[in-house]
Amino acid sequence: GENVEQHPSTLSVQEGDSAVIKCTYSDSASNYFPWYKQELGKGPQLIIDIRSNVGEKKDQRIAVTLNKTAKHFSLHITETQPEDSAVYFCAARRGTGGFKTIFGAGTRLFVKA
Amino acid sequence: DAGITQSPRHKVTETGTPVTLRCHQTENHRYMYWYRQDPGHGLRLIHYSYGVKDTDKGEVSDGYSVSRSKTEDFLLTLESATSSQTSVYFCAIGRTADNEQFFGPGTRLTVL
């Protein structure tokens, strides 16, 4: 069945460094790729998303890249800050019958001050 | 949390008892979803709704049922709770099927 693999499961960086999280999806009909940030005790919150007709998208310190041929997409956080510490989830959703969003298993990011 | 509330926020129950979780939205979004979150699995879709009284199964629907009698409320029922249903349950809403989903604060359910 459809699957999204996410790596690494845990990532520790020094404040100010960059963090990269990578995901691979299996369903070639996927055309929407959101990234969520989840803080302890809260629900996931969308931080950035990208559609399949775009290769890269940036929003301040956050960027996402998509390689449709290789079926992988990545989240890049630059100049990390302690408040970036959280669990990050990638997801992939197909554009037709588009109710089904498949999530990766999550990456726990620690930013050390 | 985008006008989404979930109740209860925490519940402990015993195996074999029925449990109902409630999701309430004030955004008038058409689509509503129930997910469960377990370590190592991310979020998995249980059931979703695309309108009042219109619901369908997700990838882990066995042992769960849902109902949506009005736009703002989406109920998740465990007819006879089992220990494997111990999890954190999240409700999400979406204006359209193709738009982003907004998540509620979650309900932590423990089945003893």
Side-chain angles (χ1 to χ4, degrees), chain B residues 63-82:
Chain B
Y64 302 95
S65 63
V66 291
S67 66
R68 191 167 178 204
S69 59
K70 44 187 178 177
T71 300
E72 56 266 36
D73 288 327
F74 192 31
L75 303 180
L76 177 70
T77 297
L78 290 65
E79 302 290 347
S80 178
T82 67

Side-chain angles (χ1 to χ4, degrees), chain A residues 65-96:
Chain A
T65 58
L66 171 65
N67 183 327
K68 279 210 71 178
T69 303
K71 292 193 215 169
H72 64 72
F73 55 115
S74 300
L75 178 72
H76 304 253
I77 306 174
T78 59
E79 301 173 21
T80 54
Q81 301 166 3
E83 51 264 40
D84 293 329
S85 296
V87 179
Y88 292 81
F89 291 96
C90 63
R93 188 169 79 204
R94 54 167 50 203
T96 55

Side-chain angles (χ1 to χ4, degrees), chain B residues 19-23 31-36 44-70 73-80 85 89-92:
Chain B
V19 177
T20 295
L21 308 183
R22 181 185 184 230
C23 177
Y31 295 87
M32 298 186 76
Y33 310 83
W34 276 109
Y35 290 89
R36 60 178 288 174
R44 292 179 292 174
L45 183 65
I46 305 171
H47 282 280
Y48 62 91
S49 170
Y50 46 99
V52 173
K53 297 187 179 178
D54 292 322
T55 65
D56 208 344
K57 297 178 180 179
E59 58 182 311
V60 290
S61 59
D62 287 349
Y64 302 95
S65 63
V66 291
S67 66
R68 191 167 178 204
S69 59
K70 44 187 178 177
D73 288 327
F74 192 31
L75 303 180
L76 177 70
T77 297
L78 290 65
E79 302 290 347
S80 178
Q85 294 176 312
Y89 291 85
F90 287 98
C91 173

